[in-house]
């Protein structure tokens, strides 16, 4: 079996490794236009903030390690033509510009995503930086140590982390977003307010509910003009979001309107023998029961593994995702899974929510700290569709607990009565996950 894997960030790496594990005799060619694989881009802000022990450890595989596993790596190579039905592709060495053609039995599309970069005046200035890949990370690391100020555009997870790390390293930071609050697509308004207070306490200027219109180079550095004002700094960093990098396959395979490739539960596309995974593909989103586009490394890894398990025959079905995620800003840990009540309304799910705040362990302990917890459920069925937790305590595993509850279609009543241990070093007699579920059940009963 000859398999072509197009792209080698997370989904491509795990697909290739799993195919080799399941089919040791398979010939696997991986085509990657960059010179690195498996870069953990979620660490860019931490590296800039001097919280990374070694940048080399931001990779869990290398071209050499994959070659040693019997996978043929074509680095610095771009697939420029792909006939999915015929399993025929043309690839180009980016150094020599030489092209070659090859035929395969199976295709795996793991081309990932591309950063959103609107065609605005001045955006291609060398003082405007991207924050997507290893090259972007290196460019940022070279300049951020010497700058005094920065403008971060986009207040999702990436922009939020960049703004936080720059501010704690004594840079003057302006954070711009088109929505009216930070992390608006990641959390509810009451959680956003906590982070906004933290940003302002650390001197970050919030420029919210305004759209960037242009960039201008100045003697100081760069000016960013929005529909409501202008801001100057040494550099600007883009963290607007991502779109599927799938233009090469347009018209050959079923896609969402944004270009995300649709797959079935075995990761096969509408073209037989062609699979897709990761940021190039859709996910089945369990809170809504529909396919969606949610680019997360966790989704990419699991989908890549499933490609390997199903490359020859349907073996293991995709269980879907809850899009569980987390971020830590100014020592505040935030972890969430599924839908907020605002996101539920936008996606047509009739839901309600409840929020509580209580100490994570008994007050007789010498130290404790509050946890803010919310739970969101579908009206009528009481099916859990989302949760969020915020604290200076590590609450990350609480989101994983509720993620499992969502995947298994549990109700708020069931979660309220689920058995969680009590020991005062670790929690209250009623764990805060149980406590917020009980509050939800009480609210739903009214």
């Amino acid at each position: 079996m000859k398999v072509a894997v197009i792209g080698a960030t997370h989904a491509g790496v795990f697909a290739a490794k799993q195919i080799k594990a399941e089919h040791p005799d398979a010939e696997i060619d991986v085509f990657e236009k960059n010179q690195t694989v498996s870069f953990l881009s979620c660490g860019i802000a931490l590296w800039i903030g001097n919280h990374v022990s070694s940048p080399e450890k931001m990779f869990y595989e290398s071209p050499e390690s994959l070659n040693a596993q019997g996978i043929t790596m074509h680095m610095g190579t771009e697939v420029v033509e792909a006939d999915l039905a015929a399993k025929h592709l043309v690839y180009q060495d980016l150094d020599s510009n030489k092209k070659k053609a090859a035929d395969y039995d199976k295709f795996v599309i793991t081309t990932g995503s591309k950063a959103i970069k609107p065609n605005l005046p001045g955006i291609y200035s060398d003082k405007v930086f991207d924050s997507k890949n290893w090259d972007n990370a290196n460019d940022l690391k070279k300049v951020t140590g010497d700058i005094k100020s920065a403008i971060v555009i986009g207040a999702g997870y990436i922009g939020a982390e960049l703004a936080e790390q720059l501010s704690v390293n004594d840079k003057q930071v302006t954070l711009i977003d088109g929505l009216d609050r930070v992390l608006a697509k990641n959390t509810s308004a009451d959680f956003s307010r906590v982070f906004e207070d933290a940003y302002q306490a650390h001197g970050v200027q919030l420029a919210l509910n305004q759209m960037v219109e242009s960039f201008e180079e100045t003697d100081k550095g760069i000016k960013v003009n929005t529909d409501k004002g202008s801001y100057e700094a040494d550099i600007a960093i883009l963290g607007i979001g991502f779109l599927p990098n799938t233009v090469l396959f347009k018209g050959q395979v079923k896609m969402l309107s944004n270009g995300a490739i649709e797959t079935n539960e075995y990761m096969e596309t509408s073209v037989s023998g062609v699979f897709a995974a990761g940021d190039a593909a859709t996910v089945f989103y369990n809170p809504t029961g529909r396919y969606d586009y949610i680019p997360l490394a966790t989704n990419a890894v699991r989908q890549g593994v499933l490609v390997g398990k199903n490359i020859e025959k349907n073996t293991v079905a995709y269980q879907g995702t809850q899009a569980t995620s987390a971020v830590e800003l100014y020592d505040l840990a935030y972890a969430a899974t599924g839908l907020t009540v605002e996101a539920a309304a936008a996606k047509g799910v009739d839901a309600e929510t409840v929020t509580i705040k209580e100490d994570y362990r008994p007050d007789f302990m010498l130290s404790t700290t509050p946890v803010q917890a919310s739970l969101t459920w579908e009206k009528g069925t009481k099916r859990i569709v989302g949760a969020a937790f915020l604290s200076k305590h590590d609450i990350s595993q609480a989101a994983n607990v509720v993620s499992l509850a969502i995947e298994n279609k549990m109700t708020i009543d069931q979660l309220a009565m689920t058995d969680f241990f009590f020991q005062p070093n670790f929690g209250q007699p009623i764990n805060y996950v149980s406590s917020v579920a009980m509050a939800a059940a009480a609210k739903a009963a009214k």
Side-chain angles (χ1 to χ4, degrees):
M1 179 169 57
K2 290 185 64 178
V3 183
V5 179
I6 308 171
T9 304
H10 304 304
V13 166
F14 276 87
K17 287 165 60 71
Q18 194 66 39
I19 293 167
K20 199 65 180 176
E22 303 281 339
H23 306 281
D25 295 332
E27 296 179 33
I28 306 169
D29 286 339
V30 178
F31 299 91
E32 172 55 52
K33 65 181 181 180
N34 296 303
Q35 295 295 341
T36 58
V37 301
S38 78
F39 175 57
L40 293 165
S41 59
C42 51
I44 291 177
L46 292 169
W47 190 28
I48 289 169
N50 302 312
H51 294 293
V52 169
S53 60
S54 167
E56 288 76 22
K57 293 180 180 180
M58 296 170 75
F59 302 86
Y60 51 84
E61 289 283 0
S62 68
E64 294 76 17
S65 68
L66 291 169
N67 276 318
Q69 295 172 56
I71 298 164
T72 303
M73 303 299 295
H74 301 266
M75 305 305 296
T77 303
E78 185 172 9
V79 175
V80 293
E81 297 178 31
D83 185 330
L84 300 186
K87 311 296 185 295
H88 176 82
L89 59 77
V90 177
Y91 57 96
Q92 182 176 22
D93 183 291
L94 296 179
D95 286 333
S96 67
N97 290 324
K98 290 183 179 178
K99 294 181 180 179
K100 293 183 180 179
D103 296 295
Y104 293 88
D105 301 308
K106 308 280 185 177
F107 270 8
V108 180
I109 300 171
T110 47
T111 45
S113 57
K114 55 188 176 183
I116 295 173
K117 193 167 187 175
N119 190 24
L120 298 175
I123 199 169
Y124 291 98
S125 164
D126 61 7
K127 292 182 173 62
V128 179
F129 291 80
D130 296 321
S131 55
K132 178 74 167 76
N133 58 30
W134 172 241
D135 291 337
N136 301 154
N138 274 284
D139 291 342
L140 281 168
K141 185 63 175 176
K142 288 174 185 175
V143 301
T144 49
D146 297 325
I147 62 170
K148 294 182 179 179
S149 59
I151 297 166
V152 179
I153 301 165
Y157 277 160
I158 293 173
E161 289 177 307
L162 287 166
E164 182 248 6
Q165 284 297 302
L166 289 166
S167 70
V168 298
N169 280 275
D170 300 321
K171 314 300 180 185
Q172 294 178 340
V173 179
T174 301
L175 181 58
I176 300 175
D177 197 271
L179 298 176
D180 62 356
R181 56 189 177 86
V182 301
L183 298 173
K185 292 184 178 180
N186 306 103
T187 188
S188 292
D190 49 352
F191 289 92
S192 287
R193 282 192 291 272
V194 176
F195 286 118
E196 287 169 7
D197 290 344
Y199 278 119
Q200 291 169 336
H202 288 82
V204 176
Q205 180 181 7
L206 298 178
L208 303 174
N209 201 28
Q210 49 191 288
M211 299 298 293
V212 173
E213 295 182 334
S214 65
F215 299 79
E216 297 177 49
E217 290 193 14
T218 67
D219 292 338
K220 182 178 180 181
I222 193 79
K223 179 190 286 187
V224 179
N225 301 309
T226 75
D227 57 354
K228 294 183 178 177
S230 295
Y231 307 89
E232 285 193 64
D234 295 325
I235 65 170
I237 308 173
L238 302 177
I240 302 172
F242 306 109
L243 288 172
N245 184 27
T246 58
V247 66
L248 184 65
F249 315 105
K250 190 174 181 180
Q252 298 189 67
V253 66
K254 287 184 179 179
M255 297 179 175
L256 297 183
S257 59
N258 70 348
I261 297 172
E262 297 181 29
T263 72
N264 63 17
E265 64 267 40
Y266 299 102
M267 307 315 302
E268 191 169 22
T269 72
S270 57
V271 179
S272 178
V274 177
F275 297 77
D279 287 8
T282 58
V283 296
F284 187 80
Y285 191 38
N286 285 320
T288 62
R290 295 190 294 270
Y291 281 90
D292 210 330
Y293 182 63
I294 306 174
L296 287 172
T298 49
N299 291 336
V301 168
R302 279 192 290 273
Q303 289 183 322
V305 170
L306 286 171
V307 168
K309 290 183 174 294
N310 297 312
I311 195 75
E312 191 173 59
K313 63 180 181 179
N314 294 345
T315 303
V316 180
Y318 184 35
Q319 294 174 206
T321 180
Q322 288 70 252
T324 309
S325 61
V327 69
E328 188 172 38
L329 303 170
Y330 304 114
D331 297 323
L332 290 166
Y334 173 77
T337 187
L339 295 163
T340 63
V341 71
E342 296 94 338
K347 292 183 179 295
V349 178
D350 188 14
E352 58 184 322
T353 191
V354 70
T355 300
I356 65 167
K357 191 172 184 179
E358 60 183 41
D359 289 344
Y360 84 93
R361 65 181 183 178
D363 291 340
F364 69 72
M365 298 296 294
L366 296 179
S367 66
T368 187
T369 194
V371 172
Q372 186 171 327
S374 74
L375 193 65
T376 304
W377 65 96
E378 184 179 48
K379 290 182 181 178
T381 67
K382 299 185 183 180
R383 178 177 64 93
I384 301 166
V385 295
F389 303 90
L390 175 68
S391 181
K392 290 186 177 181
H393 175 61
D394 181 3
I395 41 69
S396 55
Q397 293 310 308
N400 280 335
V401 167
V402 183
S403 175
L404 192 61
I406 296 171
E407 184 174 318
N408 286 281
K409 298 180 173 59
M410 288 180 67
T411 66
I412 52 177
D413 296 317
Q414 290 173 315
L415 184 61
M417 297 307 295
T418 295
D419 178 34
F420 297 118
F421 77 89
F422 164 58
Q423 207 283 336
N425 286 288
F426 303 98
Q428 299 274 15
I430 298 178
N431 183 280
Y432 56 85
V433 175
S434 297
S435 188
V436 73
M438 289 177 178
K443 183 175 181 179
K446 290 181 179 179

